[in-house]
Amino acid sequence: MKNVKKFIAATAIPALFIAAPVAAQDAESFTLALSGSVDSNCELIPEGSGSFAVDMLETGNQGALTIVYSCNSPYTVSLQSLNGGMRHSESGGAVVIDYDVEASFLGLGIGATSTNSASMQASPVVIVTDNDWSNILTNGGSRTGNLDLSFDSLSEYAVAGTYEDELTIELAANY
């Protein structure tokens, strides 16, 4: 009989655990929102300002300028002319000698663009567009360009005086 009581007790105790509802566990949580940012970084070499003496009697290639650029976001490279060409100072701008800027990858003709100073006076003309989202070390390129004067009429050629224009090359992030 002792064994029967032990057996009944042994089977009754686990049955109490099975039959009894399981108590909810105490729980707490914390959610942490993570955020971060990387500033846009575009590099143009050369940067700042410089000067170049244009041979006003030469219609051909005035020389080459190479720019190197990179950006850690999509970007454009554009050109803009302040005066729309080489503006004759003494005539108050009555004579303006326009010029063409031809640019390509390292001067090899790859990705070549050509634009005229008159067309880039009112607003910048885009010569490179890159829509890649890459880091600054892999998202760049170079362009080598030359400037050719365009004498549209004989009355423009060899007019004595001083001429000037500002050609702005801009690298800008597009996002």
Side-chain angles (χ1 to χ4, degrees):
M1 177 89 167
K2 265 184 171 178
N3 284 342
V4 171
K5 286 182 180 177
K6 284 183 185 177
F7 177 74
I8 293 171
T11 56
I13 292 173
L16 289 175
F17 287 113
I18 294 172
V22 177
Q25 293 182 354
D26 185 20
E28 294 180 2
S29 68
F30 174 72
T31 302
L32 181 62
L34 302 175
S35 65
S37 66
V38 173
D39 292 336
S40 176
N41 185 17
C42 295
E43 296 293 330
L44 177 68
I45 300 172
E47 67 177 310
S49 62
S51 62
F52 180 77
V54 175
D55 182 349
M56 294 306 299
L57 298 176
E58 175 60 53
T59 60
N61 187 348
Q62 294 285 329
L65 171 66
T66 300
I67 58 168
V68 178
Y69 48 86
S70 60
C71 201
N72 64 349
S73 65
Y75 61 86
T76 58
V77 178
S78 62
L79 302 175
Q80 187 165 14
S81 168
L82 177 65
N83 299 323
M86 297 298 292
R87 183 179 182 270
H88 185 253
S89 299
E90 290 77 9
S91 71
V95 176
V96 177
I97 311 299
D98 60 320
Y99 54 85
D100 296 321
V101 175
E102 299 166 351
S104 65
F105 177 72
L106 296 177
L108 301 174
I110 301 168
T113 58
S114 181
T115 188
N116 185 273
S117 58
S119 66
M120 59 180 149
Q121 180 181 13
S123 62
V125 172
V126 174
I127 62 168
V128 177
T129 299
D130 190 318
N131 293 313
D132 293 337
W133 287 97
S134 299
N135 72 52
I136 195 166
L137 298 176
T138 60
N139 199 26
S142 68
R143 286 291 183 272
T144 298
N146 64 294
L147 184 145
D148 297 329
L149 293 178
S150 301
F151 295 101
D152 299 326
S153 70
L154 286 176
S155 64
E156 290 180 345
Y157 185 75
V159 174
T162 56
Y163 295 81
E164 64 183 10
D165 192 21
E166 287 182 13
L167 178 64
T168 301
I169 303 166
E170 181 182 67
L171 168 64
N174 296 336
Y175 69 95

